[in-house]
Amino acid sequence: MPLFAHGRWVEDPWRHLADDEPLGDVASVTVSLNRLLGPEGPAVLAHPGRLGVRLATEDRVESLEPFLCRLGLIVVVFANFADGRGFSTARILRRRLAWRGELRAAGRIFVDQYSFLRRCGFDSFEVPDERVASWHPDNVAIPLAYRTDSEGGVASIWRLRHNRCREPRP
Amino acid sequence: MSLFILTANRLRDGRVVFLTAHGWEESLRTAIVAATEAEQRALEALGAQSVAMCEVVDPYLVEVEVENGVPSPLHYRERIRASGPTVRPDLARRDGIPEDCRVSL
Amino acid sequence: MYRYDSYDEAFVRARVAQFRDQVRRRLAGELTEEEFRPHRLMNGLYLQLHAYMLRVAIPYGTLSSRQLRRLAEVADRWDRGYGHFTTRQNIQFNWPRLEDVPDILEALAEVGLHGIQTSGNCIRNITTDAYAGVAADEVADPRPFCELLRQWSSLHPEFSFLPRKFKIAVSASPHDRAAIRAHDIGLRLYRDDAGELAFEVLAGGGLGRTPMIAKTVREHLPARQLLPYVEAILRVYNRFGRRDHKFKSRIKILVHEIGLDAFRAAVEEEYARSLDPEDVELAALELERIEELFAPPPYEELPARDPLHERRLAEEPAFARFARTNLRPHRVPGYAIVDVSLKPVGGIPGDVTSDQMRRLADLADRFSFGELRTTHTQNLALPHVRLRDVHSLWELLEEAGLGTPNIGLVTDIVCCPGLDYCALATARSIPIARALARRFAELDAQERIGPLSIRMSGCINACGQHHIGHIGILGLEKRGEESYQITLGGRPDERTAIGRILGPGFSASEVVDAVEAVLRFYLEGRNGPQETFADFVERVGVETFREVVYAPVRAR
Ligand code: SF4
């Protein structure tokens, strides 16, 4: 799947394992949350390489808490365009669980959601093949937001108004 | 056998249109009437084509009766849709069906 | 009132530019309708029965004369010379062309208006008491909180793809004029024992297919904690609200299914864990800034009573009647709130022509510091009128066909567009509202009947809020015909109640007779005029009405 991160297309260094695929000796792998929490969990955690997790929209992200320091990547897979649960997942990870690592959006994501995704804390995007051609986030982004979520290069109007800027004025 | 015509909304302006031999028109007077299952499918195929060409949105078949060569929808919803808001006769379509869609009060 | 600064302007303009690009992509075939629909909905653009419909937000129902003039221009230039005010204080245009909508939105942006989030599964326009800031019985002006909520919810990155639409209403008076208990979140502002502003937070109200009254989640929330608490509710809803079935995805179903206690526990936990002091501090600063913008207009110091006004009341019965029905007490001595009825007999409830809009804008400039309000009963109000000016204002309103003295009476009917405009409707509602208004047009009889709210919807979605009408009417389809179901016992006020179905539906030609039979029974049976219709129904019960209504109506 084409990967978009930090404003450009990049190679995905991660292997995303299906639940029945063996861990092998791949350097960087992701597994599903079920697999991590299931009987195979200890083996997964003992895997020598980097470890990531893929969350489905309905997964409860809180259950990742004990493993966060072991993880190098968290992928949130959006089931469809209208299912906005993944936005809350990201928000909880970034704000409440203070996750600083890579947070990736995958699944049925749209370029028009790019600002929302960035503002919730996603920093890389697995873009479905058929949407790669129309993936021009700069054309659709709105550079301003009221709230204080200034992740994603979006300036917070509230910060600007009250001189709490962390970013240059537009 | 039931009779059907194909309706949709025009993409550009949203107006209600009907498929005629000359393309999509705002009046249903000359709409193509499908009398068989096969003709209905053919209408639907034309509708899908127009959707793909960004001419119209949401095409669907409307059941009609035909009197003096002019189709008239059977259901009150479709009669209102074809002729305009019943509470604003000034905005109604003059070439729509001269139907009394009014509540008798 | 609130005025946009350069940031608000830049924000709305960026949004218009974004939508312009989306429309271009749609017309060029780069976006399918399925892909485009969520974008147009989140900008207030629907595809209705006859055409597109554009819904423009009027945040918390406060409108300047300049904005109203611009709405009139939009109606003339891009629509068909009129607009329709809704039960959520917004305005709708029924005939815009898709290709014109970006220009319309740009014209609106110039005066600080937009269609952002007037549709779609997101946080909708925040509504409040139409008399906010001027009502004599209010605790504090709730609009700064509404504006804070507007900003906070605008293009909210986390809550733009909720399970379903989400409506918030705020009230700051003991009398609820915002139907907060019929909203997903209802907020009641009050002063606590320490004299501090606090909110009672209610959640899980809503009408539609499964009407429910909102329940209290938090009795006492310090006002400055509003945003984090509302955010906690939304987060719980966004995560755990049902997404498997459209009819089950409103927050009311979540609250109902998991129970109020479990819901409250989830919200409180989320609130406690996610509270960010920086957010709270910034919101407090922003609230202060907004409050300054809502500073009252330069009122004159006037005596509480105006002799000239009182003499006219004594001498002119028609004026006295208008004053009885359309005047509300103002918190500033010598001023009044003047309601402008958009329910003339024979008219379409909530519809205003562009000429009337311009006249109203002029009247607002002349008599009300350039300010107007939209009410959730589809009327307008001029919020700051000197008592001594009320008579001149009334004469000018009469001239414009806007002086109908029927606020809160039987012909002040709340009515959704129904099948005359709405693609989802199962029956028409406007023709019934008109027929009812004609039947009860006589003004003395209206006053004799007293306070009465008839509310009508053209389908189960209940945009006309029929459940909370004293008399509710729901248009349905039955065997290929329009059929109307009557409910009694609903209340739209601080004792919000859902009406109960009287019995089998009536045909279009019967429904007016049925309402008349209901009212006749009330007039004959009430304990004097001080027993209102709502109280009477509470006392005698809905069942009692059955015999007196069906037999005579069906006999005709
Ligand atoms: S209640 Fe139904 S008919 Fe009326 S406006 Fe809402 S969706 Fe349309």
Side-chain angles (χ1 to χ4, degrees), chain C residues 252-500:
Chain C
K252 61 190 173 188
I253 304 290
L254 175 67
V255 176
H256 181 73
E257 286 184 351
I258 71 173
L260 179 61
D261 291 335
F263 179 76
R264 181 185 292 133
V267 169
E268 290 288 340
E269 193 204 336
E270 179 59 47
Y271 171 63
R273 291 196 63 180
S274 297
L275 200 60
D276 178 339
E278 202 217 351
D279 277 356
V280 175
E281 192 208 329
L282 261 175
L285 287 170
E286 180 59 21
L287 184 68
E288 268 172 44
R289 186 190 75 89
I290 296 169
E291 273 168 348
E292 277 168 32
L293 291 163
F294 279 105
Y299 294 119
E300 275 171 54
E301 251 183 69
L302 296 170
R305 301 173 60 168
D306 183 82
L308 184 62
H309 175 66
E310 291 184 4
R311 208 177 70 220
R312 281 171 167 154
L313 287 178
E315 286 170 1
E316 295 180 48
F319 177 56
R321 185 197 297 281
F322 177 81
R324 277 198 301 279
T325 53
N326 291 36
L327 242 54
R328 302 282 161 262
H330 198 285
R331 63 180 181 78
V332 177
Y335 284 83
I337 307 166
V338 177
D339 281 319
V340 179
S341 169
L342 302 183
K343 320 285 177 64
V345 171
I348 296 177
D351 274 18
V352 196
T353 66
S354 53
D355 282 339
Q356 288 175 324
M357 289 185 217
R358 274 184 284 267
R359 290 247 209 154
L360 282 163
D362 292 346
L363 294 176
D365 281 340
R366 193 164 150 202
F367 296 111
S368 182
F369 297 104
E371 193 183 317
L372 301 104
R373 302 296 177 81
T374 59
T375 79
H376 90 279
T377 51
Q378 300 173 288
N379 294 309
L380 295 174
L382 296 174
H384 326 276
V385 183
R386 288 185 305 199
L387 279 175
R388 90 165 76 101
D389 290 336
V390 172
H391 188 270
S392 324
L393 171 60
W394 168 66
E395 286 179 327
L396 292 165
L397 285 172
E398 284 272 283
E399 228 179 83
L402 293 162
T404 314
N406 66 346
I407 298 296
L409 300 181
V410 52
T411 57
D412 184 5
I413 299 169
V414 172
C415 172
C416 82
L419 193 50
D420 280 297
Y421 291 100
C422 179
L424 300 172
T426 38
R428 281 170 295 172
S429 47
I430 301 168
I432 304 294
R434 268 186 173 173
L436 281 166
R438 288 204 179 99
R439 177 74 59 92
F440 300 108
E442 212 274 302
L443 292 169
D444 287 330
Q446 292 197 42
E447 283 202 78
R448 205 172 320 120
I449 296 167
L452 184 70
S453 181
I454 300 183
R455 300 186 180 214
M456 185 163 15
S457 307
C459 82
I460 193 70
N461 285 335
C463 304
Q465 306 177 336
H466 62 276
H467 298 106
I468 55 171
H470 298 135
I471 298 177
I473 304 174
L474 166 62
L476 295 166
E477 172 175 353
K478 221 163 144 196
R479 282 176 249 105
E481 304 263 344
E482 290 162 299
S483 166
Y484 296 89
Q485 195 176 69
I486 291 184
T487 51
L488 298 177
R491 292 186 88 117
D493 54 14
E494 59 281 359
R495 290 170 55 207
T496 307
I498 306 289
R500 292 184 44 218

Side-chain angles (χ1 to χ4, degrees), chain B residues 11-12 75-77 86 101, chain C residues 52 98-99 420 423 426 428:
Chain B
L11 173 66
R12 270 174 193 289
H75 196 280
Y76 61 88
R77 178 188 195 271
T86 63
C101 286
Chain C
Y52 290 104
L98 175 60
E99 44 196 5
D420 280 297
T426 38
R428 281 170 295 172

Side-chain angles (χ1 to χ4, degrees), chain A residues 62 81-82 84-85 88 91 95-96 110 112 119 140 146-148 158-159 161-162 164 169, chain C residues 5 7-8 18 22 38 151-152 155 157-158 161 231 238-239 270 276 278-279 281-282 286 289:
Chain A
E62 288 90 338
F81 173 79
R85 284 177 287 189
S88 286
R91 177 90 179 170
R95 287 267 178 132
R96 194 206 289 172
F110 254 84
D112 302 85
R119 286 169 58 196
V140 294
Y146 285 100
R147 309 171 62 257
T148 52
W158 288 355
R159 279 193 211 283
R161 270 182 187 150
H162 303 289
R164 304 289 159 102
R169 283 166 184 275
Chain C
D5 67 1
Y7 293 119
D8 296 302
Q18 182 192 49
Q22 287 161 346
Q151 296 186 17
W152 163 81
L155 306 191
E158 187 181 348
F161 300 90
E231 184 140 333
N238 190 39
R239 298 184 72 195
E270 179 59 47
D276 178 339
E278 202 217 351
D279 277 356
E281 192 208 329
L282 261 175
E286 180 59 21
R289 186 190 75 89

